[in-house]
Amino acid sequence: MIRDRETLDLLLQNIARFVRERLVPQEDSVAETDEIPDELVDEMKRMGLFGLSIPEEYGGLALTMEEEALAVLELCRTSPAFRSIIGTTVGIGSQGIVFDGTEEQKRRYLPGMATGEIIASFALTEPESGSDAASLRTTALRDGEHYVVNGTKRYITNAPHAGVFTLMARTNPADKSASGISAFIVDAKSPGISFGRRDKKMGQRGAHTCDVIFENCRVPAENLIGGKEGVGFKTAMKVLDKGRIHIAAVCVGVAERMLADALRYAMERKQFGQRIGDFQLVQALLADSKAEIYAARSMMIDAARRRDEGLPHTTEASCAKMFASEMCGRVADRAVQVFGGAGYMSEYGIERFYRDVRLFRIYEGTTQIQQILIARNMMRDAA
Ligand code: COS
């Protein structure tokens, strides 16, 4: 749903200019240093990018899902690590509070997230619990006015920068199912929290993940999201439903960028006395990519609109995330192919995208998890 086309277009133009003039020129240096310069993060804060999804009364831009998806798509016509710095605050780190938090929790945390002063991070995955999220072992045991948290969270995006974690932990260890899990807001500076070394990754340099270790970390009982135990898994699943549409938009944005680069190269590079883009076999690589991007974009927009209209969208979110992330991998592969030998060389940047986008098929639910979700929902709906 687009509320005001003119305002949205202004935002999209602003983001497009920022990407073109500020982010694209720094892609190489970010990949080299593994750091996003503070001044770029400050610019993102000033543009309101951390607050895209935060309601207006807490200082955010309160974009609808369709608007957020279009904004994110625009931001992703560059290295996806730039999106990652705002991604957890816009998405999985904050939305549990937006959906299920108490008024007091929203007032306390959301305004800082909207300005980017508080980076929010989502702590679900553990060493022994990835796709099987409901098997998580981190415990949060009530002790007077606190919960005492013990456990390790793994591959937590933005953990090294986080001000706050949305943490999923088991408040009822006797209940091994999803209903034993609760969600908390945890201040990253709480005593009892320590951080592992930054993970070395295949790509997305500039985006940081690490382990977060909780040892007798005392969390005030008032930080239990919604003040209710046993519903944290549902909060996490709702957050991921929305997150998957967001990731589909990320995939479309990066794919459009890679295809634009491949197209430019195909029109410049000459072999056998003509542009390689004039060869039909190269044209097939470009055309297949164009059609698949269009399909993914249409799915992403449709899923976003369903969400905005309050319709069920779990299946559509999974379809869009699955198709868009797989599409993005194929587009990356074809883009490298169009570049030929140059595609394998770092200086052209396309091999960096090829590595960066590999993550999309894995995080916020692997392709295989999306397949399970889609088929399960189909059978449930048919029964
Ligand atoms: N919205 C609201 N509630 C939901 C929900 C959703 N999208 N999905 C599940 N639930 C509810 C269910 O209705 C169920 O509640 P009841 O017991 O009251 O019926 C409860 O949550 C447990 O759901 P379910 O039985 O489906 O749990 P499973 O253990 O079978 O979940 C999947 C399996 C695969 C769906 C889940 O573990 C998952 O999404 N895994 C991937 C996790 C992931 O994406 N990790 C990425 C890391 S985070 S970046």
Side-chain angles (χ1 to χ4, degrees):
M1 183 194 306
I2 292 172
R3 295 160 308 167
D4 173 2
R5 190 73 238 188
E6 217 174 300
T7 312
L8 179 68
D9 282 346
L10 272 179
L11 175 70
L12 299 182
Q13 283 160 19
N14 260 339
I15 296 175
R17 189 178 332 111
F18 177 62
V19 167
R20 212 170 43 238
E21 294 174 4
R22 302 290 292 140
L23 301 187
V24 171
Q26 305 232 33
E27 286 171 357
D28 286 339
S29 67
V30 167
E32 212 145 286
T33 59
D34 196 19
E35 296 291 344
I36 296 179
D38 288 342
E39 80 243 22
L40 289 182
V41 179
D42 288 341
E43 284 177 59
M44 292 189 204
K45 289 179 183 169
R46 286 198 294 274
M47 290 170 72
L49 296 186
F50 284 88
L52 295 180
S53 62
I54 309 276
E56 259 160 357
E57 61 264 46
Y58 309 107
L61 296 182
L63 299 190
T64 64
M65 188 71 239
E66 185 176 355
E67 293 166 344
E68 176 185 326
L70 292 171
V72 163
L73 189 162
E74 214 47 63
L75 184 62
C76 286
R77 294 181 197 275
T78 181
S79 297
F82 291 119
R83 192 278 330 180
S84 190
I85 191 74
I86 67 152
T88 53
T89 306
V90 168
I92 53 181
S94 71
Q95 296 302 290
I97 304 172
V98 172
F99 300 161
D100 290 336
T102 63
E103 187 49 42
E104 169 58 26
Q105 290 166 348
K106 291 180 188 176
R107 260 190 275 132
R108 191 140 155 234
Y109 292 102
L110 295 180
M113 291 180 186
T115 58
E117 183 196 327
I118 302 175
I119 303 263
S121 180
F122 183 71
L124 174 68
T125 299
E126 299 183 356
E128 302 295 331
S129 164
S131 290
D132 185 6
S135 71
L136 65 84
R137 294 182 190 172
T138 296
T139 52
L141 303 181
R142 183 85 190 224
D143 178 27
E145 283 313 296
H146 287 83
Y147 285 87
V148 181
V149 179
N150 281 288
T152 297
K153 295 292 176 177
R154 180 142 292 174
Y155 308 144
I156 304 305
T157 302
N158 282 331
H161 311 290
V164 147
F165 292 99
T166 296
L167 170 79
M168 265 55 64
R170 200 169 288 285
T171 39
N172 181 1
D175 180 353
K176 305 278 182 231
S177 76
S179 56
I181 297 170
S182 303
F184 295 89
I185 309 165
V186 183
D187 190 323
K189 292 212 167 62
S190 307
I193 297 188
S194 58
F195 298 91
R197 279 207 316 241
R198 274 188 201 172
D199 299 313
K200 289 188 180 159
K201 312 191 301 314
M202 178 191 284
Q204 299 225 7
R205 282 170 63 82
H208 305 137
T209 65
C210 71
D211 278 8
V212 185
I213 303 124
F214 297 85
E215 286 169 302
N216 294 321
C217 171
R218 296 180 74 78
V219 176
E222 68 204 30
N223 283 21
L224 174 66
I225 292 183
K228 202 163 159 212
E229 286 189 8
V231 292
F233 187 78
K234 288 183 187 173
T235 298
M237 290 300 111
K238 286 189 279 182
V239 164
L240 286 170
D241 280 346
K242 177 166 192 269
R244 287 166 185 158
I245 303 176
H246 179 113
I247 295 298
V250 171
C251 296
V252 174
V254 183
E256 288 193 351
R257 161 62 187 276
M258 291 187 294
L259 184 57
D261 286 2
L263 177 64
R264 194 174 328 108
Y265 192 79
M267 292 170 68
E268 282 165 13
R269 171 76 173 164
K270 289 206 169 71
Q271 286 295 280
F272 304 101
Q274 55 182 314
R275 304 182 304 181
I276 61 169
D278 290 326
F279 292 107
Q280 290 179 342
L281 294 179
V282 173
Q283 289 176 351
L285 296 169
L286 297 173
D288 286 355
S289 298
K290 179 78 182 173
E292 289 191 34
I293 290 172
Y294 180 48
R297 188 189 171 108
S298 305
M299 290 169 77
M300 175 273 280
I301 293 288
D302 180 68
R305 287 184 184 160
R306 287 182 66 86
R307 185 183 161 80
D308 286 337
E309 285 165 24
L311 298 170
H313 58 279
T314 302
T315 302
E316 289 75 11
S318 282
C319 288
K321 195 275 183 183
M322 175 174 83
F323 184 82
S325 59
E326 293 288 333
M327 169 283 289
C328 199
R330 289 191 293 272
V331 169
D333 190 67
R334 293 187 197 113
V336 170
Q337 200 66 15
V338 170
F339 274 81
Y344 201 71
M345 303 299 156
S346 305
E347 66 176 295
Y348 291 87
I350 205 77
E351 64 82 33
R352 188 187 64 234
F353 278 112
Y354 179 85
R355 286 181 289 107
D356 286 350
V357 305
R358 189 62 183 81
L359 182 58
F360 300 154
R361 291 152 64 191
I362 299 170
Y363 70 178
E364 299 203 23
T366 60
T367 290
Q368 290 67 32
I369 285 296
Q370 310 309 334
Q371 289 171 319
I372 288 168
L373 269 165
I374 295 162
R376 222 170 59 163
N377 291 347
M378 286 167 65
M379 289 195 274
R380 191 201 51 210
D381 294 346

